[in-house]
Amino acid sequence: MSLKLYATLGSPPVRSTLLTIAALGLKDKVKLIPVDLFNFDHLKPEFVAKNPLHTVPVLEDGNFTLWDSHAINSYLVNKYATDDALYPKDIQKRALVDSMAHFDTGYLFGKGVRIIKAVFTTDKSVNMDELKADVRESYDILEVILNKRKFVAGDSMTIADFNIVATLSTTEVCVPMEKEYPSIDAWYAKMRQLPYYSINAKGVEMFRTVFSKLISQL
Ligand SMILES: N[C@@H](CCC(=O)N[C@@H](CS)C(=O)NCC(=O)O)C(=O)O
């Protein structure tokens, strides 16, 4: 096994993959290659050759290269897990996991990252109130989903929970929740109890430090 992950801990998608790696017990088998977004490592030709989207995370498994945390996480479970709990083989259960991956990409992370990009590039042209309202709408949607399920894609924890917890804990830094979300809170408490949750918590604190400094300059 020769696994490499191109990563930076501040990134929510990277953290979802690190949570997946921890859950699978692969931590000691994956070599982390740091990608410094502030140094524009991700725009260097050698990185763009691996991932034309120039995003982290990127996984290399031998000669196989894969980008996008959702694809990486499902690949890791498919290839290395001893059971299918984190990405069920049952077609309908798996479809629910996939639907939450798309919710992350299109809504929660998709909306939140627009704020993050604006702050990190000191782009003053965006309408921050509109962007924040979009993220808050995603919180409302997530509350409705979690009102009916114990975990984001059903009654047991899957890789979708790793994506959503990594994203939500980050968007919360940029867009604090303004009302009560009892179902999100109950789910969040379960996720925080994971023995390896500190991987995410550490990255969120790194993100908070940088974000707070930059937002004060915007
Ligand atoms: N859908 C992708 C999103 C990855 C993503 O946008 N990563 C950000 C860091 S949080 C990034 O690398 N941005 C650099 C860029 O867009 O050039 C995934 O889940 O991996």
Side-chain angles (χ1 to χ4, degrees):
M1 185 187 309
S2 163
L3 289 168
K4 285 184 195 160
L5 188 74
Y6 293 80
T8 181
L9 200 55
S11 154
V14 166
R15 280 184 263 119
S16 79
T17 297
L18 294 175
L19 289 171
T20 304
I21 287 168
L24 294 175
L26 293 175
K27 200 166 170 274
D28 297 333
K29 302 211 161 60
V30 181
K31 185 173 178 197
L32 291 183
I33 315 279
V35 178
D36 183 349
L37 300 181
F38 290 104
N39 191 38
F40 303 108
D41 287 354
H42 60 305
L43 300 181
K44 292 183 177 156
E46 57 272 27
F47 188 77
V48 178
K50 295 180 194 304
N51 175 8
L53 277 69
H54 46 77
T55 54
V56 285
V58 170
L59 178 80
E60 280 180 348
D61 186 357
N63 294 326
F64 178 65
T65 305
L66 186 62
W67 66 78
D68 191 283
S69 62
H70 311 87
I72 292 170
N73 298 347
S74 53
Y75 171 83
L76 287 172
V77 177
N78 285 337
K79 185 152 181 205
Y80 294 108
T82 50
D83 62 47
D84 69 344
L86 288 171
Y87 192 48
K89 288 198 171 72
D90 175 275
I91 290 171
Q92 292 183 349
K93 287 184 182 164
R94 178 164 286 208
L96 292 179
V97 177
D98 294 342
S99 76
M100 290 308 291
H102 291 292
F103 171 73
D104 187 41
T105 298
Y107 285 80
L108 195 56
F109 179 79
K111 309 287 184 188
V113 77
R114 295 181 62 200
I115 297 178
I116 297 170
K117 272 196 180 151
V119 172
F120 279 48
T121 58
T122 51
D123 177 1
K124 295 185 180 151
S125 69
V126 299
N127 184 330
M128 227 14 128
D129 289 338
E130 262 177 32
L131 295 183
K132 285 184 179 176
D134 280 347
V135 173
R136 292 206 167 97
E137 187 193 8
S138 296
Y139 295 163
D140 292 346
I141 294 167
L142 185 60
E143 175 67 15
V144 171
I145 293 168
L146 280 167
N147 186 252
K148 297 196 178 80
R149 301 175 186 167
K150 289 188 186 136
F151 290 89
V152 300
D155 281 344
S156 59
M157 190 183 72
T158 65
I159 49 174
D161 292 285
F162 296 154
N163 271 108
I164 300 296
V165 81
T167 301
L168 185 70
S169 53
T170 309
T171 57
E172 261 196 312
V173 174
C174 324
V175 189
M177 294 181 185
E178 281 184 334
K179 52 181 160 171
E180 298 293 312
Y181 289 105
S183 304
I184 292 180
D185 285 349
W187 162 81
Y188 222 155
K190 284 182 275 194
M191 296 306 292
R192 284 201 193 97
Q193 277 167 15
L194 291 172
Y196 43 83
Y197 185 77
S198 58
I199 295 167
N200 187 53
K202 195 175 157 198
V204 174
E205 286 321 305
M206 276 176 62
F207 175 85
R208 189 190 306 281
T209 305
V210 178
F211 187 84
S212 311
K213 197 172 149 202
L214 291 175
I215 193 96
S216 66
Q217 294 163 7
L218 198 70

